[in-house]
Amino acid sequence: MATVAPPVTQSSLGAKGPTAMVFMNMGGPSTTAEVQDFLSRLFADGDLIPLGRLQSYLGPLIAKRRTPKIQKQYSDIGGGSPIRKWSEYQCTEMCKILDTLSPETAPHKPYVAFRYAAPLTEEMYANLLNDGFGGGKGGRAVAFTQYPQYSCSTTGSSLNELWKWRNRLEGEKATGVTQPEGAITWSVIDRWPAHPGLVEAVAKNIEDQLLTYPEEKRGDVVLLFSAHSLPMSVINRGDPYAAEVAATVYAVMQKLGFSNPYRLCWQSQVGPSAWLGAQTSDTVQNYVARGQTDLILVPIAFTSDHIETLYELDQEVMHEAGHPGVKRAESLNGNPIFIQALADIALEHLRSGESCSRQMALRCQGCKSERCLEQKKFFVGQGNLLSVR
């Protein structure tokens, strides 16, 4: 469901508008024909899947070998990922609310930038320029990560890519000047793991699924929060992802009044290296084997359905469990509570005058990436420009 934003002008009615709202996410292939390109980009990204000096050699080999299997999985969920449809819907609906809540920064224009699938970051940036942002005309854009919990492998990778294309299209590589006159002024919503609206939306989906169990069993249903795993090499250098996912889980359980026993587990491990565990599939099988057959899987780090929910959880984990008591809470998708939360988060950011959170400026303890350092310096430095808008 592609949304075409009309061209914008800097003489908008809003004193500080228009404002581009850019949703950043991993993305997914919309058709099975796009799977190999998607996997090739994914395995080429050392921020997400570090393969060392052989990344450029091993990445394409792994992608090519995995393509038929992954194409079959996408066929089984309808022929492609719904993540673009949901991202465009969520961003568009959020912008409608923002136009009412923040007329001074209106109109708010929706854009989506995926890391590994269309629309890619460079496509989004070209659309911004074509629509009248930057290119000597100025304008404000907000990079709004759709990973609620920050990781260098996800949000960090997307910001690295955004910074790269900003330099190529209107930064130093394009103009010879680091901050050319009339370039887009950027800010970043880089994490929101315990925002009350996110917590409420997830808790409501859990409560709805709990109602499908007999009342006498409801309090004993185990809630299994599931998030995408990361290599331990990433976690051990100080990446904050695991701690922020745990913060989301705890906030949701507080909202529920700690009504049920719960655990956090991790899914989607790839390759033989050590990844963060316990794995979701192993967790479900172990509990079922012990007679704990009433379980609700809760996607806690995903803002919409995609292959990790529709195939991995629904068709692999739940099917292998072989018990009707193993269910899944709905994903956030078009949940109106969640979309209002997105608008509230964006509004708070727009009014803050800050270019990013204080946390984003702090590098991981073991980080040695010069690209990460320069990207952070750029986005932190954009705060100086926001103060004069």
Side-chain angles (χ1 to χ4, degrees):
M1 184 178 68
T3 301
V4 179
V8 298
T9 63
Q10 301 305 318
S11 58
S12 167
L13 291 176
K16 298 181 179 180
T19 306
M21 303 300 298
V22 181
F23 272 22
M24 300 188 307
N25 210 329
M26 174 183 290
S30 296
T31 68
T32 55
E34 298 172 15
V35 168
Q36 185 164 342
D37 285 345
F38 168 75
L39 292 177
S40 294
R41 296 185 190 103
L42 188 146
F43 283 103
D45 184 7
D47 291 326
L48 179 67
I49 302 176
L51 299 174
R53 290 178 296 175
L54 296 177
Q55 187 100 32
S56 61
Y57 173 74
L58 291 176
L61 289 180
I62 297 171
K64 185 176 181 179
R65 187 177 67 180
R66 288 180 61 84
T67 292
K69 175 183 176 181
I70 304 302
Q71 283 179 324
K72 173 66 166 55
Q73 293 179 1
Y74 277 106
S75 293
D76 290 345
I77 65 168
S81 173
I83 192 172
R84 180 172 185 172
K85 175 191 76 172
W86 285 121
S87 296
E88 290 176 340
Y89 175 81
Q90 291 165 344
C91 193
T92 298
E93 294 303 305
M94 178 199 72
C95 285
K96 291 177 183 177
I97 298 173
L98 276 178
D99 284 347
T100 300
L101 295 178
S102 183
E104 67 273 19
T105 54
H108 302 87
K109 299 294 182 179
Y111 296 86
V112 171
F114 286 153
R115 185 64 180 85
Y116 311 114
L120 294 165
T121 305
E122 57 265 40
E123 179 184 344
M124 176 279 300
Y125 215 116
N127 288 338
L128 282 178
L129 296 174
N130 290 336
D131 288 346
F133 290 95
K137 302 174 185 176
R140 169 86 186 270
V142 178
F144 191 166
T145 182
Q146 292 305 292
Y147 306 101
Q149 306 89 5
Y150 184 91
S151 171
C152 300
S153 298
T154 52
T155 299
S157 178
S158 289
L159 291 174
N160 285 340
E161 192 75 356
L162 176 59
W163 174 69
K164 179 183 81 174
W165 283 103
R166 187 267 179 192
N167 282 343
R168 290 184 180 183
L169 295 177
E170 61 168 356
E172 190 167 3
K173 287 191 175 181
T175 66
V177 180
T178 302
Q179 185 60 48
E181 187 73 23
I184 297 169
T185 299
W186 283 95
S187 65
V188 182
I189 301 173
D190 51 86
R191 71 198 74 206
W192 34 285
H195 186 273
L198 169 68
V199 170
E200 181 182 355
V202 175
K204 179 65 166 58
N205 285 349
I206 292 171
E207 288 173 334
D208 288 346
Q209 190 62 274
L210 281 169
L211 290 175
T212 67
Y213 293 87
E215 186 174 358
E216 66 274 11
K217 290 186 173 184
R218 211 166 286 161
D220 295 322
V221 176
V222 175
L223 307 181
L224 295 179
F225 294 88
S226 186
H228 200 295
S229 187
L230 281 181
M232 287 305 298
S233 59
V234 174
I235 297 297
N236 288 340
R237 72 170 180 241
D239 191 285
Y241 173 71
E244 294 194 7
V245 172
T248 308
V249 171
Y250 193 83
V252 170
M253 291 310 303
Q254 275 190 316
K255 181 71 175 178
L256 294 171
F258 296 96
S259 60
N260 292 74
Y262 68 99
R263 285 292 185 273
L264 170 58
C265 44
W266 308 90
Q267 64 179 93
S268 309
Q269 175 176 328
V270 178
S273 62
W275 284 55
L276 189 62
Q279 288 290 303
T280 303
S281 56
D282 294 341
T283 299
V284 171
Q285 289 179 19
N286 288 339
Y287 277 130
V288 170
R290 296 173 190 169
Q292 178 63 58
T293 55
D294 290 337
L295 309 167
I296 295 179
L297 294 163
V298 184
I300 197 61
F302 308 124
T303 55
S304 72
D305 274 322
H306 52 319
I307 197 167
E308 282 85 355
T309 58
L310 297 175
Y311 187 85
E312 187 176 351
L313 293 183
D314 292 356
Q315 298 191 33
E316 287 188 335
V317 174
M318 291 171 60
H319 176 74
E320 290 170 5
H323 197 281
V326 180
K327 305 179 183 183
R328 176 170 73 85
E330 286 293 320
S331 298
L332 295 170
N333 294 336
N335 186 317
I337 298 173
F338 175 62
I339 291 172
Q340 180 65 52
L342 294 173
D344 292 342
I345 293 165
L347 179 65
E348 181 180 356
H349 174 76
L350 289 168
R351 290 180 173 173
S352 73
E354 297 178 348
S355 60
C356 61
S357 73
R358 296 293 299 274
Q359 274 290 80
M360 185 177 141
L362 182 66
R363 299 174 75 189
C364 295
Q365 299 94 309
C367 179
K368 295 181 173 62
S369 170
E370 289 301 312
R371 179 177 58 172
C372 176
L373 173 62
E374 294 303 315
Q375 170 255 111
K376 288 179 180 293
K377 287 165 63 175
F378 168 76
F379 287 112
V380 170
Q382 292 287 285
N384 297 325
L385 302 176
L386 291 173
S387 63
V388 298
R389 279 179 60 84

